[in-house]
Amino acid sequence: MPKPLKEQLINILVENKLLTAEQLEEALKIQKQKGGRLSNILVSLKFIKEKDLMLALSKSLNIPPINLAKLDIKPEAIKSIPEHVARHYQLIPIAKMSSSLTVAVSDPLNIFALDDIRALTNYKIKTVLSTEEDIKEAIRKYYAKNAGDLIKDVIKDKEAKVVAVALEEAKLDTQTLLEMVNEAPIVKITNMILSEGIKRKASDVLIEPLEKTMQVRYRVDGVLEMGESPPKSMHEAIVTRIKVMSRLDVAEHRLPQDGRFKIKLPHKEVDFRVSVLPSSLGEKLALRILDKSSLLLDVEKLGLEEHPLKVLTKCAQQPHGMILVCGPTGCGKTTTLYSVLNYIDSIEKNLVTVEDPIEYLLDGINQVSALPEIGLTFAAALRSMLRQDPDVIMVGEIRDFDTVDIAIKAALTGHLVLSTLHTTDAPGSLVRLANMGVEPFLITASCLMVGAQRLVRILCPHCKEEYKAMPDLKKKLGIKDNKEITFYRPKGCAKCNDAGYKGRIGIMEALEISAKIKELILAKAAEVQIKNVARREGMRTLRENGLAKALKGITSVEEVLRVTAPDEELA
């Protein structure tokens, strides 16, 4: 009598010395409580690697393993099993012969799945082994159409052609346009553009009118990528559709407008912040995607190097003073400040923020949205907030003298103030404050630290390749060490959509306001002097922090050079 499937799996793992009795006992206990496949529980508990599990099953059951990433599966094989069946059983067809179908599976002991596939296809089923992660990636690659293909399909539809012709032939009045934007083709295309942005994990979606066409682009990991663009005749209808979703004035085409809307997905909600800008060829849309599920609010997990993290956490624990984070738009300044708020948040502290606009709603923190059009500026909100008995104040951005003046006074009167500045480096922020009219003695008395931040793309761990740094590269980077140095570069694979990168991580130069730095500020010293002293005291520049990441294989040298400026040689 054949052994039960669970017992077969346990025997295979024990015989291959991949599992101890204690680990098995713990995994079986969790399975009894929560259910699920034993193999998945063992992998999730990190008792066994998925690849080792696959190789053990392959050896014991005499089923060959396969690398799906290196395989080009033909459409006729894919069509033999419907997508919902492939997803349900976590398997994918890879080859079809006259009377047999070869299927890649992650669980070869699931005989019920194989019986169902055999009955469904009327083929003799042959199995090969792959990991569950690789099968999921292959299903996504071969079954799921991207937004571009779907938009093409919708545009080819007769109903869409009628709408496109109607939009092209006449200048429609607002009421007629409003009726047309609720037609199926416009709704479908708009939804596809938005869903593609979420799928690509883009931070922004740009919908731009050109002379003869319209253009859709996605900013992924800080770099713009082209998307499939609908006909120019649909541009106004798509813009109007998004205006309706954002509750903006659909009849206004001459002035900029800002709004936001939210869409619900099966497991999360995603906010879109919308900016409408009138241009000579029509209205240009910029949509910022705010996906709270991907928001990492842990200062320890921002990826900062040891020195900036130490300075940031040390200053965040001070009872009063000002912490500034500077850098260009989209470099993660607000996320860093949110992480600091999360780091110091406690029931004993009253935390208040004023932002324009509020990017993410944080539990337990009072957030105020600045509305300059009705007089609720940063400065006005700050004045009122100081009467609310705050311990910690976050100001979204210091833009003018009034705001910085109140922020500094708040820092001097017992509050911890967090804010951002649009400057390129940390020493430059101190000079910028002086240029805004802040007296040097107020800067030294209130400022705890300035952090200049950038985001660099992370190399895809599945395809990055190493190489030895040549002498000319070392010279360009200012590396004087004669030892052999290894860097990594992007290659591109299916897991990173051939980009070579997947995700971003922060780098920061953290300038702590020490006694010597205070002396230089009071003496109105030049930016370069402040930078030299700070470096001698241990500050690592953006370029140096970036190269530290490159040496660890986290990012590439090219990426560091792209986002950071070269440093002057330290005297």
Side-chain angles (χ1 to χ4, degrees), residues 362-376:
L362 306 176
D363 292 335
I365 295 173
N366 306 286
Q367 293 172 269
V368 178
S369 182
L371 298 166
E373 61 271 19
I374 62 169
L376 185 59

Side-chain angles (χ1 to χ4, degrees), residues 325-345:
V325 179
C326 66
T329 302
C331 72
K333 300 188 295 294
T334 304
T335 300
T336 297
L337 292 187
Y338 280 164
S339 300
V340 172
L341 287 175
N342 194 51
Y343 176 72
I344 60 179
D345 188 20

Side-chain angles (χ1 to χ4, degrees), residues 4-251:
L5 300 179
K6 186 193 289 187
E7 195 176 326
Q8 285 185 52
L9 175 63
I10 292 169
N11 287 342
I12 289 169
L13 296 177
V14 172
E15 285 170 11
N16 284 274
K17 297 180 180 179
L18 295 171
L19 196 65
T20 64
E22 293 79 11
Q23 289 173 333
L24 175 61
E25 187 180 345
E26 186 179 341
L28 289 171
K29 186 178 177 182
I30 291 172
Q31 188 187 39
K32 189 176 181 181
Q33 291 172 346
K34 300 181 180 179
R37 282 167 51 187
L38 181 61
S39 56
N40 286 349
I41 293 168
L42 291 169
V43 171
S44 67
L45 291 171
K46 296 184 178 177
F47 289 161
I48 182 172
K49 291 181 180 176
E50 193 174 9
K51 194 172 181 181
D52 292 338
L53 173 65
M54 182 187 77
L55 293 173
L57 289 170
S58 172
K59 181 181 175 184
S60 300
L61 300 174
N62 199 26
I63 300 173
I66 194 165
N67 186 347
L68 288 175
K70 294 183 178 179
L71 208 62
D72 184 21
I73 305 174
K74 303 297 181 188
E76 53 266 26
I78 292 293
K79 288 175 184 175
S80 58
I81 296 178
E83 181 182 353
H84 70 278
V85 176
R87 289 188 183 278
H88 179 70
Y89 288 125
Q90 284 301 300
L91 50 78
I92 188 166
I94 61 170
K96 188 167 75 168
M97 299 293 285
S98 55
S99 61
S100 67
L101 182 68
T102 304
V103 179
V105 298
S106 61
D107 184 8
L109 299 175
N110 188 350
I111 56 174
F112 302 108
L114 299 177
D115 285 345
D116 284 354
I117 297 298
R118 193 177 293 111
L120 176 71
T121 60
N122 289 321
Y123 281 103
K124 182 182 177 183
I125 304 298
K126 295 180 180 179
T127 56
V128 293
L129 266 178
S130 185
T131 64
E132 189 170 324
E133 184 185 348
D134 284 352
I135 288 173
K136 283 180 179 177
E137 182 65 31
I139 289 172
R140 188 198 65 77
K141 179 180 176 182
Y142 289 103
Y143 281 103
K145 282 188 171 183
N146 60 35
D149 294 333
L150 291 169
I151 287 172
K152 284 177 184 175
D153 290 347
V154 173
I155 291 168
K156 287 176 185 175
D157 187 74
K158 287 181 181 179
E159 190 182 355
K161 287 179 180 178
V162 171
V163 172
V165 169
L167 289 167
E168 195 169 8
E169 287 182 348
K171 185 69 179 175
L172 302 174
D173 60 85
T174 302
Q175 186 57 42
T176 310
L177 190 60
L178 275 172
E179 290 171 6
M180 295 197 75
V181 299
N182 291 318
E183 296 284 336
I186 298 299
V187 173
K188 280 183 184 177
I189 290 173
T190 305
N191 290 346
M192 286 169 196
I193 291 171
L194 301 179
S195 63
E196 180 70 359
I198 297 169
K199 182 181 170 185
R200 293 194 191 197
K201 295 186 177 177
S203 60
D204 300 89
V205 181
L206 303 181
I207 300 173
E208 304 159 307
L210 304 180
E211 191 172 354
K212 295 181 180 178
T213 58
M214 68 175 285
Q215 180 174 265
V216 178
R217 294 189 289 173
Y218 303 93
R219 189 175 292 280
V220 180
D221 293 337
V223 179
L224 283 170
E225 297 177 355
M226 284 297 296
E228 184 64 37
S229 299
K232 175 70 182 284
S233 59
M234 290 186 173
H235 173 261
E236 191 176 355
I238 292 170
V239 170
T240 304
R241 172 69 187 162
I242 293 174
K243 279 185 177 182
V244 170
M245 293 167 73
S246 310
R247 298 182 181 179
L248 298 177
D249 185 353
V250 296

Side-chain angles (χ1 to χ4, degrees), residues 248-305:
L248 298 177
D249 185 353
V250 296
E252 180 56 71
H253 304 288
R254 300 166 300 168
L255 295 173
Q257 296 187 71
D258 294 305
R260 64 192 305 155
F261 64 89
K262 184 183 293 184
I263 61 173
K264 289 187 178 182
L265 298 174
H267 306 294
K268 61 182 177 181
E269 287 185 345
V270 179
D271 283 343
F272 284 81
R273 199 173 76 210
V274 180
S275 172
V276 185
L277 179 69
S279 74
S280 58
L281 297 171
E283 290 176 294
K284 178 182 182 294
L285 284 182
L287 293 87
R288 171 65 56 89
I289 301 176
L290 304 168
D291 185 354
K292 197 172 183 179
S293 67
S294 64
L295 185 65
L296 186 67
L297 295 183
D298 187 340
V299 74
E300 301 280 350
K301 294 179 181 177
L302 289 173
L304 303 181
E305 293 295 309

